[in-house]
Amino acid sequence: MLKRRIIPCLDVKAGRVVKGVSFVDHRDAGDPVVLAAHYNDSGADELVFYDITASSDERNIMVDVVERTAAQVFIPLTVGGGIRTVDDMYRMLRAGADKISINTAAVLNPQLISDGAKRFGSQCIVLSIDVRRVQDSVGAPQWQVYTHTGANARSTGIDAVAWAIRGAELGAGELVINSMDADGTYGGYDIALLQTITSQIGIPVIASGGAGTPEHLYDGFVRGGADAVLAASIFHFGNYTIAEVKADLHNRGLAMR
Amino acid sequence: MTLAVIDYGAGNLPNVVRALQHLGVALTITSDPAVVARASAVVLPGVGATLDTMTTLNQTGLADAIRSASANGVPFLGICVGMQVLCDISEEFGPHDCLGILPGAVRRFPATLKVPQIGWNQVRYTTKHHQHALFDGIPDQTDFYFVHSYYCDVTDKTIIAGETDYTLDFPSVLINGNMAAAQFHPEKSGSAGLRFLHNFIQHMAKLECEPLHV
């Protein structure tokens, strides 16, 4: 039986992990390679590095980080952030990434999804969608796509569900659905958003944004229909270990590795 | 005595090579059919589609080199699409011939399932093969990492060494003499995957590698 996946996400800037990872008692706790190895040893099913670097010089550092990680950590590694062209994808894949996550660049140029899928296969292309909830005229929830992750996020006016469906049609192999409303709240995933998308999509969906407890992850899987969950703070700050969360979900009847 | 890793542009080649290098085996990355023909063991990686892969293998002469390595009993490991192309035919992007080394057809998962299958799934050993050296030190029903939309529907069930349940049961490991093939990615399956590769190198290819520390 296919297992539900737990995927820690590390924000990397100029070769160092930011958003402090506070549970690792190690002088190199900011080293993405050290943390990747740590998460691998503690049962992570995959890893995501998100490059929040602004300049292209610093992006070369990311290539080096990916290379050093791939030489030591033998589980799937996704790299996102600042990837705008098929050549950018190629560099990261050669460096050892298994998948490429694209977000803003795909909204600005949807053909990037199909070009990437044609050249490297759909399994390489993860479409990450930042979403904010809005209300329609009768008060039913709607969701809009945002670009430029972070403090400068911009509304696009694009319907998130329609964009998710289009992304799958263009050849994305997986979707990350990140609720900006829930992100950082520790209040749980946006389950209605996940349900709306997973019920209409035939490719794996990864829930992101809002996880604070194992129960939230359970809800993301069971009520939201997610195949995997992306989580950062819940693990980085040592509130839970991956092993604890997996044991809890296993006890609730989910198939975990 | 070298291990030839066939380079025909497969996306996972670098990571297969990294995993093998981590195990300390001497290897040659090659797209030269003559080098494949002389190798003491061969690894065929793969990600993507059988149609593209077969086109490249045919054009480069690697298809014939793989067939003759197989006929000569050279230890061989196919990974993912490198497993699928060993079959007779594939239905991906329209029916086409594959290498015809293992009897069977490459079929797409039914549309009722999420396709691709992405993630960790268990390999259940078959009675005939459960004591094979390829599985040394790896418990039955261990999880490995899969990424695929197609699977090998082999007609000779005796070559199925491992099976996996994705609503339907499909062969995840095939063994026929010195030839082995895995639908999962051992190079991405953590310590179990490294051990699987280590077992292939040590017990099937009979090449030197470092002791495994996992």
Side-chain angles (χ1 to χ4, degrees), chain A residues 95-164:
Chain A
D98 299 285
K99 310 181 204 180
I100 301 297
S101 170
I102 50 176
N103 186 335
T104 300
V107 175
L108 300 177
N109 171 26
Q111 201 188 327
L112 184 59
I113 301 170
S114 43
D115 287 351
K118 263 185 213 131
R119 175 128 175 234
F120 309 115
S122 286
Q123 82 292 335
C124 270
I125 310 299
V126 181
L127 176 62
S128 182
I129 308 180
D130 285 339
V131 178
R132 238 186 230 294
R133 198 183 258 250
V134 291
Q135 308 257 309
D136 71 7
S137 53
V138 294
Q142 303 253 303
W143 294 274
Q144 273 186 9
V145 178
Y146 277 64
T147 58
H148 303 84
T149 309
N152 302 316
R154 297 175 202 169
S155 170
T156 63
I158 298 169
D159 179 69
V161 180
W163 176 231

Side-chain angles (χ1 to χ4, degrees), chain B residues 69-87:
Chain B
S70 158
N72 294 332
V74 175
F76 185 98
L77 176 63
I79 297 171
C80 194
V81 172
M83 169 194 197
Q84 295 175 355
V85 291
L86 299 173
C87 288

Side-chain angles (χ1 to χ4, degrees), chain A residues 21-30 34-35 38-39 235-238:
Chain A
V21 176
S22 57
F23 70 93
V24 183
D25 183 20
H26 193 290
R27 66 191 169 81
D28 286 326
V34 169
L35 281 170
H38 173 87
Y39 276 131
F235 299 126
H236 298 339
F237 300 130

Side-chain angles (χ1 to χ4, degrees), chain A residues 1-3 5 45-46 67 70-71 73-76 94-99 120 123 173-174 202-204 225 227 257, chain B residues 11 14-15 18-19 22 47-48 113-122 143 145 147 165-166 187-190 194:
Chain A
M1 183 186 225
L2 186 66
K3 302 302 192 292
R5 288 172 283 156
D45 295 310
E46 298 186 27
E67 268 175 2
V73 179
F74 297 96
I75 60 172
R94 288 305 288 194
D98 299 285
K99 310 181 204 180
F120 309 115
Q123 82 292 335
E174 287 176 287
I203 60 173
D227 299 273
R257 179 168 73 102
Chain B
N15 281 334
R18 280 184 187 93
H22 182 80
V47 161
L113 301 176
K114 282 210 181 187
V115 179
Q117 171 178 228
I118 299 183
W120 298 79
N121 204 337
Q122 286 164 304
D143 288 300
Y145 189 78
V147 181
D165 171 8
Y166 191 51
E187 77 280 9
K188 284 288 148 184
S189 294
L194 291 175

Side-chain angles (χ1 to χ4, degrees), chain A residues 18-239:
Chain A
V18 296
K19 257 199 211 169
V21 176
S22 57
F23 70 93
V24 183
D25 183 20
H26 193 290
R27 66 191 169 81
D28 286 326
D31 183 345
V33 183
V34 169
L35 281 170
H38 173 87
Y39 276 131
N40 175 40
D41 294 344
S42 56
D45 295 310
E46 298 186 27
L47 292 166
V48 174
F49 283 169
Y50 195 77
D51 188 1
I52 56 169
T53 294
S55 78
S56 54
D57 283 358
E58 289 176 338
R59 195 135 290 132
N60 292 327
I61 301 172
M62 193 63 181
V63 172
D64 176 62
V65 165
V66 171
E67 268 175 2
R68 288 192 294 122
T69 305
Q72 294 179 42
V73 179
F74 297 96
I75 60 172
L77 174 63
T78 301
V79 177
I83 288 163
R84 295 185 184 87
T85 66
V86 170
D87 284 344
D88 291 343
M89 294 179 180
Y90 180 73
R91 279 177 76 206
M92 286 301 178
L93 293 170
R94 288 305 288 194
D98 299 285
K99 310 181 204 180
I100 301 297
S101 170
I102 50 176
N103 186 335
T104 300
V107 175
L108 300 177
N109 171 26
Q111 201 188 327
L112 184 59
I113 301 170
S114 43
D115 287 351
K118 263 185 213 131
R119 175 128 175 234
F120 309 115
S122 286
Q123 82 292 335
C124 270
I125 310 299
V126 181
L127 176 62
S128 182
I129 308 180
D130 285 339
V131 178
R132 238 186 230 294
R133 198 183 258 250
V134 291
Q135 308 257 309
D136 71 7
S137 53
V138 294
Q142 303 253 303
W143 294 274
Q144 273 186 9
V145 178
Y146 277 64
T147 58
H148 303 84
T149 309
N152 302 316
R154 297 175 202 169
S155 170
T156 63
I158 298 169
D159 179 69
V161 180
W163 176 231
I165 293 169
R166 174 118 193 268
E169 285 169 358
L170 286 168
E174 287 176 287
L175 301 177
V176 172
I177 304 299
N178 180 48
S179 165
M180 297 167 68
D181 306 298
D183 197 19
T185 64
Y186 299 95
Y189 297 110
D190 185 336
I191 298 297
L193 167 65
L194 290 171
Q195 280 171 344
T196 306
I197 289 175
T198 56
S199 62
Q200 298 182 59
I201 291 269
I203 60 173
V205 171
I206 303 166
S208 169
T213 67
E215 183 153 18
H216 293 152
L217 303 186
Y218 180 83
D219 284 346
F221 287 129
V222 174
R223 292 172 56 217
D227 299 273
V229 292
L230 198 69
S233 313
I234 183 175
F235 299 126
H236 298 339
F237 300 130
N239 300 343

